Amino acid sequence: MSVKYTYWEWNNSLSLGISAIDSQHRRIVDYINELETARIANDKIGISQVLIGLIDYTMTHFAFEEELMQLGDYPYLNAHRQSHESFTKRINHYVEQHENGVDISRKLLSELKLWLSEHISRDDKHYVPYVKKCITQDWLSNTLAKFSTLNMFSLNN
Ligand SMILES: [Fe+2]
């Protein structure tokens, strides 16, 4: 892919001040831009590939966040988990449609951006004070080792 398009630009208002989480959120934004690039190029195989990576990465990121909330005894973990689960269901519905040959990329992009920006600035921001002081280097390296998908991020900027 030569020309890259930007659908959603990361900005610091989305930052939670927890570098592991911030870099995962940035990688998701990166995936969204890769999806936009494949969509504009009308690259159907590219769209499928990005979708697989985006979904795998996002699900693993959710699991990572849930471990983090558990670490911090976050009292609203169940509600947050439910929010992750219902979003996952919606995304899987898009994937099904995509597999049936429906062009869902534009709708999916808009939903991803809307849901994620709201989720990060409202739900994720809420757990920060509960978890921030609990993160140790040991916990971080053990948990990142467990969720190896998250280690494969490479930001191009
Ligand atoms: Fe979350």
Side-chain angles (χ1 to χ4, degrees), residues 3-116:
V3 184
K4 291 181 177 176
Y5 292 91
T6 303
Y7 183 81
W8 185 15
E9 192 141 24
W10 173 267
N11 71 76
N12 278 332
S13 74
L14 295 165
S15 169
L16 301 181
I18 298 174
S19 59
I21 297 289
D22 287 337
S23 56
Q24 290 167 23
H25 286 156
R26 290 184 70 142
R27 181 63 186 99
I28 293 171
V29 171
D30 226 36
Y31 266 121
I32 288 170
N33 292 326
E34 285 170 26
L35 183 59
E36 170 73 345
T37 300
R39 185 189 72 78
I40 289 172
N42 205 11
D43 174 3
K44 295 211 169 64
I45 294 168
I47 292 174
S48 297
Q49 284 168 340
V50 177
L51 272 181
I52 291 167
L54 170 71
I55 287 157
D56 183 32
Y57 192 90
T58 306
M59 300 307 106
T60 316
H61 161 69
F62 285 168
F64 180 92
E65 264 191 1
E66 288 164 17
E67 292 248 342
L68 179 60
M69 288 184 269
Q70 218 155 19
L71 176 77
D73 274 328
Y74 182 58
Y76 307 101
L77 170 62
N78 278 342
H80 199 123
R81 202 195 295 273
Q82 267 164 30
S83 159
H84 286 167
E85 277 168 11
S86 65
F87 181 65
T88 303
K89 274 189 196 146
R90 292 168 72 130
I91 296 307
N92 284 336
H93 181 65
Y94 278 107
V95 174
E96 253 171 56
Q97 285 183 291
H98 169 75
E99 282 167 357
N100 290 331
V102 183
D103 180 11
I104 44 86
S105 47
R106 198 185 285 264
K107 268 170 92 180
L108 176 61
L109 280 163
S110 118
E111 173 141 359
L112 284 169
K113 182 180 174 182
L114 189 69
W115 190 88
L116 282 164

